[in-house]
């Protein structure tokens, strides 16, 4: 399965079969279109929590918001917010944008809108985010999606501080449409062949500027207008938020994991076989919690997990869920490499008892090398190794660069590398979330790669990275 | 096309004309306009000026018109109002119908004199107890112009152009044995009887109306949240429709609505359509953009830079861009400062399409039945208090091919609409491969009338030589 709804697949197919090249534009609205919800609300929530909002400003904001809903000027609320930013340093606000992106907004980017953006990028279209938001909200999202162009509201900055005014109109409604048409003229874009995606009732003028408008998860008034205008409507699935039920199941899952570990260890002690005990513990500690949390797996090429053991398993990393998922996949006779600091992380203690990870002291390269030598020995002894070559979890499904460590180990130990692509663990358990949502994890095991050596390692890693990206962009059918 | 084909086409069209508008009651909206009419300030009268290549033979012209009034029964009917507004006004045959009262001929020196005469005719109120049309054939040298004044209750501008296109002939020669309407018994209506029967119907319907009202109230009571939310959304939409357009231009005041001046322009249709296509819009969008361009020039000329002005447009309530039968009027903020015609068309299109998100577009239609039960000044002031644009712009499809009236070729057909509060009303009619733009200007609001005429002509040149 591709993980996309049939409607989105059809839209992607239409993009692929349509005209290609940079003179075709693809314009995406941000709030409610690329991301679920409103990024401005996230920013405001952060200010509220930081008690930076005076009661008078709060009242004014609420009154303006309600008035906007009741047919008043819907952009007035933004101007209240901009005015409140007077004197704030641009740099600190940009940092806040980055922080909020990593902690909150990254998790709200819709997977299927990501697929639409990627389809336009593959077609060589000029992709832009067109939004009434500011670049501090849009910038991190655009970078994550690989979108170069922003058509957005500009804030006036003097001496590194906001003045509270906008440079030109707020790009809302007709002004967003004007902004897009101006951008198109400046970049040689043929609007009649171009695409636009928006969700708000104010997006009609923006959408009507192009030949291929799509109402994406439209607001009810835009949905009615789209029906009358004969515009296609796409409903994308939203990233799942943590429900109370899901939270409860997560707690139960954690308890199950610990119980599974304990049972496995006890079994090993009783049988006097630590290794079997460890394997059983892994099995119980991964099966029980995933069953309790309602997470199942859909694995392509499962046989490749077993044909080349011992091996180094490399996987992309988006979520805490990745570790139990891989544990359940590899099932037995494997360990991980962890940084030394993680040894005493309370969340990792249980796991570390079970799989006896190899800890690396990154600050001391001599000891790190010694540890790795020990790891090579263990691999040759029959224990497979599981490594996330990105080094750290990504905030989004976008693949980070691969580090070389895993591949050096494969060369030294003379074992193959088995690439495992995990597609949607980040959706079931967001990066910063402690809540695991029920769902199906899509896993694809790629062709194992043997005979690693230092000579062509750089190119082979790059090729493998490309294979990961390709698999994530176009999920293979079974 | 061969002459015999054209003849067959004529017969088919004339058959359609016979079936044109045969309902006996005025619709709620027509009723509202009928009862709240205060001519000419709040007028429902449109005037059509048809330029003819030669003066038709008068006898033949009178005979053709007589035939037309027999084919289209409505032209021989008058509106009968009940003594109290318990029922909608009803169409009834006028037993005293006399063609000579409605049709006459005059001779003028030139085209300009004809247009100013036409404006004077338009300003004079109708005799509301007679069929609601008046035609004057002006002989202008060797050429001629037929001026037809018609009341909205009889036909709106769209209907007027349709009707005229239907009645005209596809050939110059005379058609003998033209089709006639089926003979029906004369319909006579008495105002008192009408009021009484309306009252009787109201009383008979009372239990049902009460039951429906109670049921709706009950439904609202069981789902108060959704009822309130939906009412608030509707109210918000009304408020946006009324208040969100740009404020009126200070350079198009003061408006009295009592000094009508008619201007006419021609433009080749194809270049206009090309600009519309490039801007992703329709001919209607292009017409609005064209009038805005002319007004932009006028404001620049008077050193009065404005970014936008309120413009009244027509929105189809069926599928957008469909010339269906359900329309609503609404205001948009028309861009005045965009110089490029293509970009202006795109901006206008965005504004017009955005209206489709407003659930209250039909608010006047929804309110009309209720207002019709109230004294007529209520409806009149409701119409007056609705937001008023600086300009109304309307596009009407005319005959797609060359047409003739009693042997004279139709060179152009211009609709001059009323001025309900606006400084100007512009109607673009497509006649074969020509766009005929008729503009009714409130001369008291436009200080430099010749300047405005020149600005509009310059804008047409900008659109068509692009």
């Amino acid at each position: 399965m591709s993980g996309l709804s049939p409607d989105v697949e059809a839209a992607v197919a239409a993009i692929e079969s349509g005209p290609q090249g940079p003179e075709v534009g693809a314009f995406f609205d941000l709030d409610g279109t690329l991301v679920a919800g409103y990024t401005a609300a996230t920013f405001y929530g952060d200010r509220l929590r930081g008690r930076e909002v005076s009661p008078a400003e709060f009242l004014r904001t609420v009154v303006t918001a309600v008035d906007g809903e009741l047919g008043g000027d819907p952009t007035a609320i933004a101007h209240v917010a901009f005015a409140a930013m007077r004197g704030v340093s641009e740099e600190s606000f940009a940092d806040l944008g980055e922080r909020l992106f990593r902690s909150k907004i990254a998790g709200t980017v819709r997977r299927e809108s990501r697929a639409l953006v990627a389809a336009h990028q593959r077609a060589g279209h000029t992709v832009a985010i067109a939004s009434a938001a500011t670049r501090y909200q849009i910038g991190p999202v655009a970078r994550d999606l690989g979108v170069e162009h922003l058509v957005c509201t500009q804030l006036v900055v003097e001496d590194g501080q906001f003045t509270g005014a906008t440079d030109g109109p707020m790009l809302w409604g007709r002004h967003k449409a004007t902004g897009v048409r101006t951008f198109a003229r400046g970049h040689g874009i043929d609007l009649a062949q171009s695409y636009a995606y928006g969700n708000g009732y104010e997006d009609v003028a923006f959408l009507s500027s192009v030949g291929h408008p799509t109402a994406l998860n439209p607001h009810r008034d835009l949905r009615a207008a789209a029906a009358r205008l004969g515009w296609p409507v796409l409903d994308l699935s939203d990233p799942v938020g943590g429900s109370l039920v899901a939270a409860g199941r997560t707690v139960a899952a954690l308890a199950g994991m610990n119980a599974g570990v304990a049972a496995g260890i006890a079994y090993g002690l009783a049988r006097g076989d630590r290794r079997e005990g460890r394997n059983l513990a892994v099995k119980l500690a991964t099966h029980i919690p995933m069953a309790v949390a309602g997470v199942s797996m859909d694995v392509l090429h499962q046989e490749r997990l077993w044909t080349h053991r011992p091996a180094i398993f490399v996987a992309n990393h988006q979520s805490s869920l990745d570790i139990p998922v891989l544990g359940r996949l590899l099932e037995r006779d494997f360990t991980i490499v962890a940084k030394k600091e993680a040894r005493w992380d309370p969340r990792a203690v249980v796991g570390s008892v079970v799989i006896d990870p190899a800890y690396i002291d990154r600050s001391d390269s001599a000891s790190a090398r010694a540890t790795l030598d020990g790891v090579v020995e263990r691999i040759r002894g029959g224990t497979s190794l599981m490594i996330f070559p990105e080094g750290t979890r990504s905030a989004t499904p976008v693949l980070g660069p691969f580090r070389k460590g895993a591949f050096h180990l494969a060369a030294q130990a003379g074992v193959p590398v088995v690439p495992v692509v995990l597609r949607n663990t980040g959706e079931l358990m967001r990066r910063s979330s402690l809540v695991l949502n029920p769902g199906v994890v899509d896993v694809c095991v790629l062709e194992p790669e043997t005979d690693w050596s230092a000579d062509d390692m750089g190119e082979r890693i790059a090729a493998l990275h490309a294979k990961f990206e390709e698999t994530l962009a176009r999920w293979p059918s079974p | 096309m061969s002459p015999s084909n054209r003849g067959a086409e004529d017969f088919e069209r004339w058959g359609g004309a016979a079936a044109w508008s045969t309902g006996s009651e005025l619709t709620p909206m027509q009723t509202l306009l009928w009862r709240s009419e205060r001519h000419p300030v709040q007028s429902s009268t449109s005037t059509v000026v048809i330029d003819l290549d030669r003066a038709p033979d008068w006898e033949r012209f009178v005979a053709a018109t007589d035939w037309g009034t027999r084919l289209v029964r409505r032209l021989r009917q008058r509106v009968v109002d009940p003594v109290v507004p318990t029922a909608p006004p009803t169409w009834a045959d006028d037993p005293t119908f006399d063609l000579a009262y409605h049709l006459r001929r005059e001779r003028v020196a030139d085209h300009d004199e004809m247009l100013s005469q036409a404006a004077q005719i338009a300003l004079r109120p109708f005799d509301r107890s007679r069929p609601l049309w008046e035609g004057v054939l002006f002989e202008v040298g060797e050429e001629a112009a037929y001026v037809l004044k018609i009341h909205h209750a009889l036909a709106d501008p769209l209907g007027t152009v349709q009707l005229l296109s239907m009645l005209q002939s596809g050939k110059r020669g005379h058609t003998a044995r033209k089709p006639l309407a089926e003979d029906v018994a004369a319909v006579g209506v008495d105002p008192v009887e009408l009021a009484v029967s309306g009252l009787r119907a109201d009383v008979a319907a009372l239990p049902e109306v009460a039951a429906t009202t109670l049921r709706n109230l009950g439904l609202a009571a069981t789902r108060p949240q959704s009822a309130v939310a939906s009412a608030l959304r509707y109210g918000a939409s009304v408020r946006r429709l009324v208040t969100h357009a740009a404020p009126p231009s200070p350079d198009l005041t003061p408006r009295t609505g009592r000094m009508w001046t008619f201007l006419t322009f021609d433009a080749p249709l194809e270049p206009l359509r090309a600009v519309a296509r490039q801007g992703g819009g329709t001919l209607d969008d292009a017409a609005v953009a064209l009038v805005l361009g002319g007004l932009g020039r006028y404001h620049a000329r008077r050193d009065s830079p404005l970014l936008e002005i309120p413009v009244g447009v027509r929105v189809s309530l069926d599928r957008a861009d469909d010339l269906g039968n359900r329309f609503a009027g609404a205001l948009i903020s028309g861009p005045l400062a965009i110089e490029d015609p293509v970009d202006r068309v795109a901006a206008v299109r965005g504004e017009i399409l955005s209206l489709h998100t407003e659930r209250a577009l039909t608010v006047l239609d929804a309110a009309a039945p209720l207002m019709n039960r109230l004294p007529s000044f209520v409806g009149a002031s409701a119409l007056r208090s609705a937001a008023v644009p600086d300009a109304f712009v309307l596009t009407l499809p005319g005959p797609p091919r060359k047409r003739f009236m009693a042997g004279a070729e139709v060179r152009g057909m211009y609709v001059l609409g009323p001025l309900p509060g606006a400084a100007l009303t512009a109607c673009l009619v497509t006649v074969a491969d020509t766009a005929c733009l008729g503009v009714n200007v409130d001369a008291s609001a436009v200080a430099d009338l010749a300047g405005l005429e020149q600005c509009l002509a310059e804008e047409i040149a900008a659109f068509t030589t692009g």
Side-chain angles (χ1 to χ4, degrees), chain B residues 76-413:
Chain B
R76 284 172 171 253
Q77 289 182 323
R78 61 200 175 99
V79 173
V80 178
D81 237 336
V83 281
V84 282
T86 51
T90 298
W91 290 102
D93 291 324
D94 179 10
T96 62
F97 178 79
D98 174 12
L99 188 60
Y101 176 86
H102 297 274
L103 180 66
R104 62 195 155 89
R105 129 174 100 153
E106 281 182 29
R107 174 157 277 285
V108 286
D110 55 19
H111 200 263
D112 284 348
E113 193 190 339
M114 180 274 293
L115 278 183
S116 66
Q117 292 268 353
Q120 293 313 313
I121 293 170
L123 276 169
R124 279 195 290 275
F126 275 113
D127 178 349
R128 287 165 62 108
S129 66
R130 289 176 183 265
L132 297 167
W133 66 276
E134 181 183 348
V136 181
L137 182 71
F138 285 99
E139 290 171 1
V140 193
E142 290 303 301
E143 296 172 6
Y146 182 53
V147 173
L148 177 68
K149 173 171 111 166
I150 202 157
H151 194 277
H152 194 95
L154 174 54
D156 62 5
L158 179 67
T160 307
V161 172
Q162 268 176 354
L163 182 64
L164 282 165
S165 318
M166 280 198 276
L167 289 178
Q168 289 161 353
S169 167
K171 55 194 178 71
R172 203 181 276 278
H174 177 68
T175 307
R177 292 193 302 278
K178 284 184 282 212
L180 286 171
E182 288 166 33
D183 251 344
V184 270
V187 191
V189 182
D190 176 69
V192 178
E193 238 170 64
L194 199 60
V196 169
S197 74
L199 196 61
R200 211 179 292 131
D202 277 355
V203 171
L206 201 58
E208 202 188 323
V209 171
T212 311
T213 312
L214 275 178
R215 196 162 50 241
N216 289 340
L217 282 176
L219 275 179
T222 53
R223 294 171 306 156
Q225 269 184 330
S226 86
V228 168
S230 139
L232 283 178
R233 279 198 285 271
Y234 196 87
S237 179
V238 172
R239 183 172 159 206
R240 277 194 297 272
L241 285 172
V242 174
T243 62
H244 275 203
S249 159
D251 248 296
L252 296 172
T253 49
R255 298 172 202 170
T256 62
R258 296 177 169 279
M259 297 168 70
W260 293 8
T261 304
F262 288 174
L263 305 175
T264 61
F265 305 87
D266 286 327
L269 196 51
E270 197 35 51
L272 269 187
R273 286 200 197 277
V275 173
R277 266 196 304 276
Q278 286 170 48
T282 61
L283 185 65
D284 200 29
D285 303 326
V288 175
L290 188 147
V291 171
L292 279 168
L295 287 171
R297 284 170 193 270
Y298 181 74
H299 281 79
R301 188 186 175 111
R302 298 183 61 75
D303 285 327
S304 169
L306 276 185
L307 287 179
E308 40 198 35
I309 56 167
V311 178
V313 295
R314 197 181 51 176
V315 194
S316 166
L317 293 175
D318 300 312
R319 283 180 75 94
D321 301 342
D322 223 13
L323 277 172
N325 284 320
R326 295 172 59 236
F327 294 103
L331 295 198
I332 61 163
S333 285
L336 219 51
I338 303 178
E339 270 188 34
D340 175 33
V342 173
D343 199 26
R344 204 182 315 126
V345 168
V348 165
R349 178 163 186 76
E351 294 295 314
I352 294 181
L353 293 194
S354 296
L355 291 170
H356 286 285
T357 61
E358 296 299 353
R359 59 186 63 214
L361 261 186
T362 51
V363 62
L364 212 52
D365 286 324
L370 176 69
M371 284 199 277
N372 286 335
R373 295 305 175 98
L374 303 170
S376 74
F377 71 86
V378 176
S381 47
L383 286 182
R384 226 183 348 263
S385 67
V388 169
D390 283 345
F392 282 104
V393 183
L394 201 59
T395 307
L396 308 163
R401 269 184 289 280
K402 199 182 274 188
R403 286 289 155 78
F404 299 89
M405 291 182 83
E409 185 189 327
V410 173
R411 287 226 173 124
M413 191 141 87

Side-chain angles (χ1 to χ4, degrees), chain A residues 225-289:
Chain A
R228 211 182 272 166
L229 298 170
W231 288 352
V233 173
L234 264 187
D235 286 299
L236 308 187
S237 55
D238 277 342
V240 256
S243 67
L244 261 185
V245 175
R249 290 171 85 161
T250 307
V251 170
L254 281 172
M257 180 163 106
N258 286 310
V261 168
I265 303 275
Y267 174 84
L269 288 175
R271 292 286 302 267
D273 185 343
R274 276 187 66 196
R275 183 165 168 152
E276 264 318 296
R278 206 183 281 157
N279 282 334
L280 182 64
V282 167
K283 199 164 182 172
L284 292 173
T286 56
H287 273 78
I288 297 173

